[in-house]
Amino acid sequence: MCLNNFNEIRERIIDQLVSMGIVSDEYVIKALKTVPREEFVPDNLRKYAYLDQPLPIGYGQTISAIHMVAIMTQELKPRPGNRVLEIGTGSGYQAAVLAEIVAKMDPEKKGRVYTIERIPALAEYARRNLEKTGYIDYVEVVVGDGTLGYRDAAPYDGIIVTAGAPDVPKPLIEQLRDGGKLVIPVGNRFIQRLLIVEKQGDRLIKRWSIECVFVPLIGKYGWRE
Ligand code: SAM
């Protein structure tokens, strides 16, 4: 396999995820085939960008595996025009995948992604990655404790948390619009399960999905450092 032909490799790995039944949403497939993951990993790991596994991005953090981004994005079901909040910016890759769907596919609908990262140097790294790939105009990168959400742009059509939480942070539920969806890994520090929460008026409809392993969500409504 030629590791320099990233477009071909990207296309092939996403087709594999489709044939394995892991992803079927047309918007998600198109976004994953469009966003250049190789631009969101450190230079020395570019040749591994399409290995379907988490890769280190510094500060003890990781960019999630491709199938995990596919599954979480599909569970969230973003659509053009949506306003989406991500907690855990990391490399900015998941934010770019969301921005491709909610904003870049149909800019007139004015969708937007807000993403919060607690480590300032990673927020800066993500901003640079989003800038060089042309997504920065659709994404606001905020430094802070994402377990508090981001009230300035609430309510959100969807909220995605890309770090493992002990429970669902209350502010995130408050900042979901009626009919909105939250996707979050919940469990202990070592293993979690994806939880999908839909807000319907005063009711929360919860569904558990697959097991997963994420770095811890650290903050007021997360784990202690
Ligand atoms: N979504 C990222 C990407 O596409 O590269 C990968 C996220 S990485 C698995 C988890 C990130 O969550 C780390 O960058 C970590 O610093 C961040 N994080 C952990 N707790 C957080 C919090 N309370 N608020 C914001 N970010 C947090």
Side-chain angles (χ1 to χ4, degrees), residues 130-160:
L130 290 162
E131 206 167 293
K132 71 180 170 188
T133 50
Y135 288 100
I136 196 71
D137 289 346
Y138 311 112
V139 181
E140 191 169 319
V141 182
V142 178
V143 175
D145 176 4
T147 69
L148 303 171
Y150 184 55
R151 284 193 195 282
D152 294 18
Y156 300 97
D157 299 294
I159 301 180
I160 186 168

mmCIF file of all heavy atoms in Angstrom, residues 130-160:
data_model
loop_
_atom_site.group_PDB
_atom_site.id
_atom_site.type_symbol
_atom_site.label_atom_id
_atom_site.label_comp_id
_atom_site.label_asym_id
_atom_site.label_seq_id
_atom_site.Cartn_x
_atom_site.Cartn_y
_atom_site.Cartn_z
ATOM 1 N N LEU A 130 -7.018 23.270 11.780
ATOM 2 C CA LEU A 130 -8.277 23.681 11.155
ATOM 3 C C LEU A 130 -8.034 24.789 10.132
ATOM 4 O O LEU A 130 -8.711 24.857 9.104
ATOM 5 C CB LEU A 130 -9.268 24.146 12.227
ATOM 6 C CG LEU A 130 -9.796 23.018 13.123
ATOM 7 C CD1 LEU A 130 -10.403 23.574 14.412
ATOM 8 C CD2 LEU A 130 -10.836 22.168 12.379
ATOM 9 N N GLU A 131 -7.034 25.627 10.406
ATOM 10 C CA GLU A 131 -6.718 26.710 9.484
ATOM 11 C C GLU A 131 -6.134 26.157 8.187
ATOM 12 O O GLU A 131 -6.585 26.489 7.099
ATOM 13 C CB GLU A 131 -5.708 27.634 10.161
ATOM 14 C CG GLU A 131 -5.768 29.050 9.640
ATOM 15 C CD GLU A 131 -4.988 29.959 10.559
ATOM 16 O OE1 GLU A 131 -5.406 30.147 11.723
ATOM 17 O OE2 GLU A 131 -3.942 30.435 10.111
ATOM 18 N N LYS A 132 -5.170 25.232 8.314
ATOM 19 C CA LYS A 132 -4.506 24.749 7.086
ATOM 20 C C LYS A 132 -5.429 23.873 6.249
ATOM 21 O O LYS A 132 -5.197 23.683 5.067
ATOM 22 C CB LYS A 132 -3.173 24.050 7.400
ATOM 23 C CG LYS A 132 -3.276 22.712 8.075
ATOM 24 C CD LYS A 132 -1.884 22.114 8.328
ATOM 25 C CE LYS A 132 -2.024 20.904 9.213
ATOM 26 N NZ LYS A 132 -0.800 20.338 9.679
ATOM 27 N N THR A 133 -6.510 23.344 6.852
ATOM 28 C CA THR A 133 -7.429 22.492 6.091
ATOM 29 C C THR A 133 -8.690 23.254 5.651
ATOM 30 O O THR A 133 -9.582 22.668 5.038
ATOM 31 C CB THR A 133 -7.843 21.264 6.928
ATOM 32 O OG1 THR A 133 -8.281 21.702 8.214
ATOM 33 C CG2 THR A 133 -6.694 20.283 7.095
ATOM 34 N N GLY A 134 -8.770 24.540 6.012
ATOM 35 C CA GLY A 134 -9.881 25.361 5.543
ATOM 36 C C GLY A 134 -11.163 25.248 6.357
ATOM 37 O O GLY A 134 -12.235 25.634 5.884
ATOM 38 N N TYR A 135 -11.071 24.745 7.587
ATOM 39 C CA TYR A 135 -12.294 24.602 8.401
ATOM 40 C C TYR A 135 -12.438 25.677 9.472
ATOM 41 O O TYR A 135 -13.483 25.765 10.115
ATOM 42 C CB TYR A 135 -12.341 23.210 9.061
ATOM 43 C CG TYR A 135 -12.617 22.121 8.065
ATOM 44 C CD1 TYR A 135 -11.596 21.337 7.552
ATOM 45 C CD2 TYR A 135 -13.911 21.915 7.587
ATOM 46 C CE1 TYR A 135 -11.835 20.358 6.605
ATOM 47 C CE2 TYR A 135 -14.166 20.932 6.637
ATOM 48 C CZ TYR A 135 -13.129 20.161 6.154
ATOM 49 O OH TYR A 135 -13.393 19.205 5.209
ATOM 50 N N ILE A 136 -11.396 26.500 9.653
ATOM 51 C CA ILE A 136 -11.397 27.419 10.795
ATOM 52 C C ILE A 136 -12.573 28.416 10.749
ATOM 53 O O ILE A 136 -13.076 28.835 11.794
ATOM 54 C CB ILE A 136 -10.029 28.156 10.917
ATOM 55 C CG1 ILE A 136 -9.892 28.805 12.307
ATOM 56 C CG2 ILE A 136 -9.828 29.171 9.823
ATOM 57 C CD1 ILE A 136 -9.705 27.866 13.439
ATOM 58 N N ASP A 137 -13.033 28.751 9.533
ATOM 59 C CA ASP A 137 -14.147 29.712 9.427
ATOM 60 C C ASP A 137 -15.457 29.140 9.965
ATOM 61 O O ASP A 137 -16.406 29.883 10.208
ATOM 62 C CB ASP A 137 -14.368 30.115 7.962
ATOM 63 C CG ASP A 137 -13.237 30.996 7.458
ATOM 64 O OD1 ASP A 137 -12.462 31.491 8.299
ATOM 65 O OD2 ASP A 137 -13.129 31.162 6.232
ATOM 66 N N TYR A 138 -15.517 27.831 10.129
ATOM 67 C CA TYR A 138 -16.769 27.198 10.567
ATOM 68 C C TYR A 138 -16.700 26.691 12.006
ATOM 69 O O TYR A 138 -17.668 26.113 12.509
ATOM 70 C CB TYR A 138 -17.109 26.002 9.671
ATOM 71 C CG TYR A 138 -17.034 26.301 8.201
ATOM 72 C CD1 TYR A 138 -16.049 25.732 7.397
ATOM 73 C CD2 TYR A 138 -17.953 27.161 7.608
ATOM 74 C CE1 TYR A 138 -15.973 26.008 6.039
ATOM 75 C CE2 TYR A 138 -17.888 27.441 6.256
ATOM 76 C CZ TYR A 138 -16.899 26.862 5.482
ATOM 77 O OH TYR A 138 -16.832 27.143 4.149
ATOM 78 N N VAL A 139 -15.516 26.838 12.618
ATOM 79 C CA VAL A 139 -15.295 26.240 13.944
ATOM 80 C C VAL A 139 -14.765 27.285 14.910
ATOM 81 O O VAL A 139 -13.811 28.001 14.590
ATOM 82 C CB VAL A 139 -14.267 25.078 13.867
ATOM 83 C CG1 VAL A 139 -14.076 24.445 15.249
ATOM 84 C CG2 VAL A 139 -14.693 24.015 12.855
ATOM 85 N N GLU A 140 -15.360 27.365 16.093
ATOM 86 C CA GLU A 140 -14.817 28.215 17.153
ATOM 87 C C GLU A 140 -14.153 27.331 18.191
ATOM 88 O O GLU A 140 -14.813 26.453 18.756
ATOM 89 C CB GLU A 140 -15.936 29.031 17.787
ATOM 90 C CG GLU A 140 -15.414 30.113 18.687
ATOM 91 C CD GLU A 140 -16.515 31.081 19.083
ATOM 92 O OE1 GLU A 140 -17.339 31.435 18.218
ATOM 93 O OE2 GLU A 140 -16.563 31.456 20.251
ATOM 94 N N VAL A 141 -12.856 27.526 18.401
ATOM 95 C CA VAL A 141 -12.115 26.726 19.381
ATOM 96 C C VAL A 141 -12.013 27.546 20.676
ATOM 97 O O VAL A 141 -11.491 28.653 20.670
ATOM 98 C CB VAL A 141 -10.697 26.365 18.875
ATOM 99 C CG1 VAL A 141 -9.969 25.503 19.895
ATOM 100 C CG2 VAL A 141 -10.768 25.656 17.515
ATOM 101 N N VAL A 142 -12.521 26.969 21.761
ATOM 102 C CA VAL A 142 -12.568 27.677 23.041
ATOM 103 C C VAL A 142 -11.690 26.915 24.037
ATOM 104 O O VAL A 142 -11.712 25.689 24.063
ATOM 105 C CB VAL A 142 -14.024 27.705 23.564
ATOM 106 C CG1 VAL A 142 -14.112 28.387 24.915
ATOM 107 C CG2 VAL A 142 -14.951 28.360 22.544
ATOM 108 N N VAL A 143 -10.933 27.647 24.861
ATOM 109 C CA VAL A 143 -10.153 27.001 25.916
ATOM 110 C C VAL A 143 -10.944 27.063 27.214
ATOM 111 O O VAL A 143 -11.430 28.129 27.597
ATOM 112 C CB VAL A 143 -8.787 27.704 26.106
ATOM 113 C CG1 VAL A 143 -8.027 27.090 27.288
ATOM 114 C CG2 VAL A 143 -7.949 27.591 24.838
ATOM 115 N N GLY A 144 -11.110 25.903 27.857
ATOM 116 C CA GLY A 144 -11.830 25.922 29.133
ATOM 117 C C GLY A 144 -12.246 24.531 29.561
ATOM 118 O O GLY A 144 -11.857 23.530 28.956
ATOM 119 N N ASP A 145 -13.041 24.502 30.624
ATOM 120 C CA ASP A 145 -13.569 23.239 31.144
ATOM 121 C C ASP A 145 -14.888 22.931 30.433
ATOM 122 O O ASP A 145 -15.926 23.508 30.736
ATOM 123 C CB ASP A 145 -13.779 23.357 32.666
ATOM 124 C CG ASP A 145 -14.424 22.099 33.244
ATOM 125 O OD1 ASP A 145 -14.626 21.120 32.489
ATOM 126 O OD2 ASP A 145 -14.736 22.105 34.450
ATOM 127 N N GLY A 146 -14.818 21.995 29.503
ATOM 128 C CA GLY A 146 -15.988 21.660 28.695
ATOM 129 C C GLY A 146 -17.109 20.988 29.470
ATOM 130 O O GLY A 146 -18.224 20.888 28.957
ATOM 131 N N THR A 147 -16.835 20.528 30.699
ATOM 132 C CA THR A 147 -17.938 19.903 31.460
ATOM 133 C C THR A 147 -18.972 20.956 31.845
ATOM 134 O O THR A 147 -20.091 20.618 32.226
ATOM 135 C CB THR A 147 -17.438 19.163 32.729
ATOM 136 O OG1 THR A 147 -16.959 20.107 33.689
ATOM 137 C CG2 THR A 147 -16.350 18.156 32.403
ATOM 138 N N LEU A 148 -18.580 22.240 31.727
ATOM 139 C CA LEU A 148 -19.527 23.332 32.000
ATOM 140 C C LEU A 148 -20.289 23.707 30.736
ATOM 141 O O LEU A 148 -21.170 24.576 30.783
ATOM 142 C CB LEU A 148 -18.771 24.562 32.519
ATOM 143 C CG LEU A 148 -17.918 24.354 33.775
ATOM 144 C CD1 LEU A 148 -17.071 25.591 34.046
ATOM 145 C CD2 LEU A 148 -18.819 24.048 34.957
ATOM 146 N N GLY A 149 -19.936 23.087 29.609
ATOM 147 C CA GLY A 149 -20.543 23.447 28.330
ATOM 148 C C GLY A 149 -20.031 24.801 27.870
ATOM 149 O O GLY A 149 -18.975 25.260 28.293
ATOM 150 N N TYR A 150 -20.804 25.421 26.981
ATOM 151 C CA TYR A 150 -20.436 26.744 26.467
ATOM 152 C C TYR A 150 -21.736 27.513 26.258
ATOM 153 O O TYR A 150 -22.395 27.404 25.222
ATOM 154 C CB TYR A 150 -19.652 26.583 25.157
ATOM 155 C CG TYR A 150 -19.124 27.860 24.581
ATOM 156 C CD1 TYR A 150 -18.314 28.716 25.326
ATOM 157 C CD2 TYR A 150 -19.424 28.229 23.270
ATOM 158 C CE1 TYR A 150 -17.829 29.898 24.788
ATOM 159 C CE2 TYR A 150 -18.932 29.397 22.711
ATOM 160 C CZ TYR A 150 -18.141 30.219 23.479
ATOM 161 O OH TYR A 150 -17.651 31.395 22.933
ATOM 162 N N ARG A 151 -22.106 28.258 27.328
ATOM 163 C CA ARG A 151 -23.418 28.920 27.345
ATOM 164 C C ARG A 151 -23.567 29.962 26.235
ATOM 165 O O ARG A 151 -24.677 30.172 25.735
ATOM 166 C CB ARG A 151 -23.640 29.613 28.698
ATOM 167 C CG ARG A 151 -23.986 28.616 29.772
ATOM 168 C CD ARG A 151 -24.511 29.222 31.053
ATOM 169 N NE ARG A 151 -24.460 28.206 32.090
ATOM 170 C CZ ARG A 151 -25.344 27.232 32.199
ATOM 171 N NH1 ARG A 151 -26.357 27.160 31.373
ATOM 172 N NH2 ARG A 151 -25.204 26.308 33.139
ATOM 173 N N ASP A 152 -22.444 30.583 25.846
ATOM 174 C CA ASP A 152 -22.516 31.699 24.893
ATOM 175 C C ASP A 152 -23.238 31.335 23.601
ATOM 176 O O ASP A 152 -23.844 32.202 22.969
ATOM 177 C CB ASP A 152 -21.101 32.174 24.519
ATOM 178 C CG ASP A 152 -20.391 32.787 25.702
ATOM 179 O OD1 ASP A 152 -20.827 32.553 26.846
ATOM 180 O OD2 ASP A 152 -19.393 33.501 25.487
ATOM 181 N N ALA A 153 -23.140 30.080 23.162
ATOM 182 C CA ALA A 153 -23.736 29.716 21.862
ATOM 183 C C ALA A 153 -24.888 28.723 22.023
ATOM 184 O O ALA A 153 -25.419 28.228 21.031
ATOM 185 C CB ALA A 153 -22.668 29.142 20.943
ATOM 186 N N ALA A 154 -25.287 28.413 23.261
ATOM 187 C CA ALA A 154 -26.370 27.443 23.497
ATOM 188 C C ALA A 154 -27.710 28.055 23.072
ATOM 189 O O ALA A 154 -27.840 29.283 23.044
ATOM 190 C CB ALA A 154 -26.399 27.087 24.987
ATOM 191 N N PRO A 155 -28.727 27.250 22.736
ATOM 192 C CA PRO A 155 -28.757 25.785 22.811
ATOM 193 C C PRO A 155 -28.192 25.116 21.552
ATOM 194 O O PRO A 155 -28.152 25.720 20.481
ATOM 195 C CB PRO A 155 -30.256 25.494 22.931
ATOM 196 C CG PRO A 155 -30.906 26.604 22.160
ATOM 197 C CD PRO A 155 -30.031 27.807 22.329
ATOM 198 N N TYR A 156 -27.790 23.870 21.706
ATOM 199 C CA TYR A 156 -27.166 23.113 20.613
ATOM 200 C C TYR A 156 -28.097 22.018 20.091
ATOM 201 O O TYR A 156 -28.831 21.400 20.857
ATOM 202 C CB TYR A 156 -25.863 22.475 21.107
ATOM 203 C CG TYR A 156 -24.882 23.514 21.595
ATOM 204 C CD1 TYR A 156 -24.791 23.811 22.951
ATOM 205 C CD2 TYR A 156 -24.095 24.225 20.697
ATOM 206 C CE1 TYR A 156 -23.913 24.796 23.397
ATOM 207 C CE2 TYR A 156 -23.216 25.210 21.136
ATOM 208 C CZ TYR A 156 -23.139 25.491 22.485
ATOM 209 O OH TYR A 156 -22.278 26.471 22.921
ATOM 210 N N ASP A 157 -27.990 21.769 18.781
ATOM 211 C CA ASP A 157 -28.728 20.639 18.184
ATOM 212 C C ASP A 157 -28.079 19.332 18.597
ATOM 213 O O ASP A 157 -28.737 18.297 18.683
ATOM 214 C CB ASP A 157 -28.708 20.747 16.654
ATOM 215 C CG ASP A 157 -29.370 22.024 16.178
ATOM 216 O OD1 ASP A 157 -30.589 22.150 16.380
ATOM 217 O OD2 ASP A 157 -28.665 22.909 15.646
ATOM 218 N N GLY A 158 -26.767 19.383 18.819
ATOM 219 C CA GLY A 158 -26.049 18.176 19.208
ATOM 220 C C GLY A 158 -24.826 18.519 20.037
ATOM 221 O O GLY A 158 -24.214 19.575 19.839
ATOM 222 N N ILE A 159 -24.508 17.640 20.993
ATOM 223 C CA ILE A 159 -23.281 17.801 21.791
ATOM 224 C C ILE A 159 -22.563 16.459 21.781
ATOM 225 O O ILE A 159 -23.168 15.412 22.024
ATOM 226 C CB ILE A 159 -23.592 18.229 23.245
ATOM 227 C CG1 ILE A 159 -24.370 19.559 23.263
ATOM 228 C CG2 ILE A 159 -22.293 18.347 24.049
ATOM 229 C CD1 ILE A 159 -24.725 20.077 24.655
ATOM 230 N N ILE A 160 -21.252 16.497 21.492
ATOM 231 C CA ILE A 160 -20.461 15.271 21.447
ATOM 232 C C ILE A 160 -19.284 15.438 22.408
ATOM 233 O O ILE A 160 -18.611 16.468 22.389
ATOM 234 C CB ILE A 160 -20.012 14.989 19.992
ATOM 235 C CG1 ILE A 160 -19.305 13.649 19.863
ATOM 236 C CG2 ILE A 160 -19.144 16.074 19.432
ATOM 237 C CD1 ILE A 160 -19.123 13.216 18.398
#
